[in-house]
Structures are given as C-alpha cells and as structure tokens.
Amino acid sequence: MTKMLTIIGTHIHDIPSFYDEINRVFMSGEGWTLGESLDAFDDMLRGGYGAISGGEPIRLVWQDIDQSRARLGVEVTRTFLQGKLDRPELYNAKLAAGQLEALDEGRGKTYFEIVVAIIAEHPNIELVAA
C-alpha cells in the first residue's frame, strides 16, 4: 500500500519555512526535527525514522508547487550560497563559488531544483505536483 504525504506549498516562503514544512510532514512523530541541511533531507528520505520507515512506496503530493518553486528560486539560492562563501571555515567555498557562478550564468540549480533532484533519487517516492 502506498503512503500519501502532502507538502503544503503555501507554507513555504524561504529555506527555513521549507524545513518547517518538511518537519511537519515527515517528522511529526519524532522528538527531534531535521535541521536546514540538504544532506539531512536526503538521509530522511531514505527512511528509518519519521514518516518513512524504509523503502515503502510513498506518494508525495506537493500542493502549490509553483509557489514553492518561485520562493526557493534564484534569489533564495544566491543568498544560501553566499552564506556558504561567508563561512569558508565550515563550507567548501570553492564549490559554493562555482555553484553561485553557474546560478548567475543561468546553468545552475536553484534550491527548489536541488530538492526535487534529491527526491527523484529515491525510486520509492513518487512526487506529484499539485
């Protein structure tokens, strides 16, 4: 049986609110929440805690996906990458600079596109744009 989960896109205004929504959908039964990390998001989608117990089939409905695409677009992504550049002791500044350059040249991925690509890497998860 396929488990249905729903992301409400109107709840997403920026990266912190994206994680608030992800925690609402996926982590409601846990005593802790997911931090603002794409790696942690990917790990969570593998299952073993939260709403996904393993490789069971998941239908992830993303309501108002176009609004989320816009809200997690170029400007938010630029700010995200600039934050990494500002903290070279914590992040790979060379990588972030390359990603920022690609974004500015129109060939880089936005935060939204990165999130969707991560979801696509999990064959048990069907993303439904709504």
Side-chain angles (χ1 to χ4, degrees), residues 96-123:
Q99 291 171 325
L100 185 56
E101 180 180 327
L103 184 70
D104 287 341
E105 292 174 358
R107 55 185 176 81
K109 288 184 179 179
T110 64
Y111 203 89
F112 175 83
E113 292 166 332
I114 294 166
V115 165
V116 169
I118 289 170
I119 294 168
E121 291 173 2
H122 298 273

Side-chain angles (χ1 to χ4, degrees), residues 11-83:
H11 291 175
I12 299 170
H13 307 285
D14 52 18
I15 292 171
S17 62
F18 166 74
Y19 286 96
D20 289 344
E21 182 64 4
I22 292 305
N23 282 311
R24 183 193 68 78
V25 172
F26 290 95
M27 301 296 289
S28 64
E30 297 292 333
W32 56 281
T33 58
L34 196 67
E36 292 180 24
S37 164
L38 291 166
D39 290 334
F41 176 67
D42 187 35
D43 289 343
M44 181 205 63
L45 293 177
R46 283 189 182 84
Y49 54 88
I52 301 176
S53 60
E56 77 268 26
I58 304 291
R59 178 168 292 133
L60 180 59
V61 177
W62 195 326
Q63 295 177 350
D64 299 301
I65 197 167
D66 289 335
Q67 180 174 331
S68 298
R69 180 181 291 113
R71 297 271 173 92
L72 299 175
V74 172
E75 290 307 315
V76 164
T77 307
R78 184 177 288 117
T79 300
F80 168 73
L81 292 171
Q82 187 60 53

